[in-house]
C-alpha cells in the first residue's frame, strides 16, 4: 500500500506543479501561433503567385492585341497592293500583256483526265438550249409554271373542270 500511496503522491505532485501548467499553455499558444503563421504564409504565397500569373496573362493579352492589330494592318496593306488597278499597272511595268483565248495552250498531265478548256460565252451566262434539255424539269421550270402544273394535275385527278373555268 505504501507503494501505491507513493505512486499516487508522485502523480499528484507531477500533475499539479505550477510551472508545468504554464509550459503547457505556452506550448499550446506557440503551436497555435505557428499554425496561423503557416496558414498566413501559404495564403500570401498563393495570392502572390496568382497576382504574378494574372499580370503575365494581361501582358500576353496585350501582346496578342498588338499582333492582331499588326495582322489587320498588313491585311489592309495587302488588299490595297493587290487591287486590280495596281496589279495591272505592275504587270504592264514588268512587260506582261493580256492573254487572248487563242494564245492559251492546254497541257495534259499524266494521271489527270483530259478536260476541255473553260470557254465563257460572250453573251454572258446564258444557258444554252442543249444544256437545259439535259436538266430535269425541276431545274428549268419557274415557280409559276410549277404551280400551274400542280393545279392542273390536281384538277385532272379530282375530275374537276378544266383550269380555264369550263362549262357551268
Amino acid at each position: 500500500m505504501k507503494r501505491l500511496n507513493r505512486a499516487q503522491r508522485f502523480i499528484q505532485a507531477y500533475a499539479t506543479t505550477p510551472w508545468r501548467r504554464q509550459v503547457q499553455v505556452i506550448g499550446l499558444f506557440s503551436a497555435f501561433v505557428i499554425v496561423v503563421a503557416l496558414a498566413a504564409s501559404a495564403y500570401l504565397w498563393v495570392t502572390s503567385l496568382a497576382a504574378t500569373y494574372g499580370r503575365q496573362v494581361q501582358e500576353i493579352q496585350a501582346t496578342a492585341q498588338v499582333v492582331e492589330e499588326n495582322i489587320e494592318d498588313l491585311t489592309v496593306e495587302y488588299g490595297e497592293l493587290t487591287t486590280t488597278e495596281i496589279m495591272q499597272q505592275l504587270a504592264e511595268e514588268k512587260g506582261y500583256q493580256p492573254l487572248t483565248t487563242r494564245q492559251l495552250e492546254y497541257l495534259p498531265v499524266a494521271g489527270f483526265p483530259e478536260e476541255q478548256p473553260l470557254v465563257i460565252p460572250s453573251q454572258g451566262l446564258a444557258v444554252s438550249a442543249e444544256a437545259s434539255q439535259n436538266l430535269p424539269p425541276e431545274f428549268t421550270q419557274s415557280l409559276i409554271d410549277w404551280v400551274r402544273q400542280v393545279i392542273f394535275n390536281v384538277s385532272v385527278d379530282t375530275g374537276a373542270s378544266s383550269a380555264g373555268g369550263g362549262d357551268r
Side-chain angles (χ1 to χ4, degrees):
M1 215 106 142
K2 249 184 175 187
R3 202 171 214 215
L4 184 62
N5 202 6
R6 192 186 283 170
Q8 271 183 334
R9 278 187 280 165
F10 178 74
I11 291 172
Q12 188 178 13
Y14 183 76
T16 58
T17 56
W19 62 271
R20 181 158 305 280
R21 288 272 185 214
Q22 291 172 352
V23 169
Q24 287 177 347
V25 169
I26 291 172
L28 285 175
F29 181 73
S30 299
F32 176 74
V33 168
I34 290 172
V35 168
V36 169
L38 286 174
S41 65
Y43 175 76
L44 289 175
W45 178 65
V46 169
T47 304
S48 68
L49 279 179
T52 302
Y53 291 143
R55 185 65 188 143
Q56 288 176 353
V57 166
Q58 287 176 341
E59 290 172 0
I60 290 170
Q61 286 175 341
T63 304
Q65 176 95 21
V66 169
V67 169
E68 286 178 9
E69 289 173 2
N70 286 342
I71 289 172
E72 290 172 1
D73 291 343
L74 291 173
T75 303
V76 168
E77 184 180 343
Y78 176 74
E80 290 172 353
L81 290 174
T82 57
T83 60
T84 306
E85 296 83 20
I86 292 178
M87 294 300 285
Q88 284 179 346
Q89 181 183 7
L90 289 173
E92 289 173 3
E93 288 175 4
K94 303 253 183 206
Y96 292 103
Q97 297 175 353
L99 190 64
T100 63
T101 55
R102 296 177 200 268
Q103 294 172 322
L104 288 177
E105 184 176 336
Y106 179 73
L107 299 175
V109 177
F112 289 100
E114 291 189 28
E115 296 181 14
Q116 299 298 324
L118 177 65
V119 178
I120 300 174
S122 59
Q123 296 94 9
L125 298 176
V127 178
S128 66
E130 201 176 288
S132 65
Q133 288 175 354
N134 295 337
L135 292 174
E138 293 83 20
F139 297 112
T140 59
Q141 194 175 44
S142 71
L143 180 63
I144 295 173
D145 292 338
W146 178 80
V147 170
R148 284 184 187 152
Q149 183 180 0
V150 168
I151 292 172
F152 176 75
N153 289 342
V154 169
S155 66
V156 168
D157 290 344
T158 59
S161 61
S162 67
D167 52 304
R168 293 184 188 210

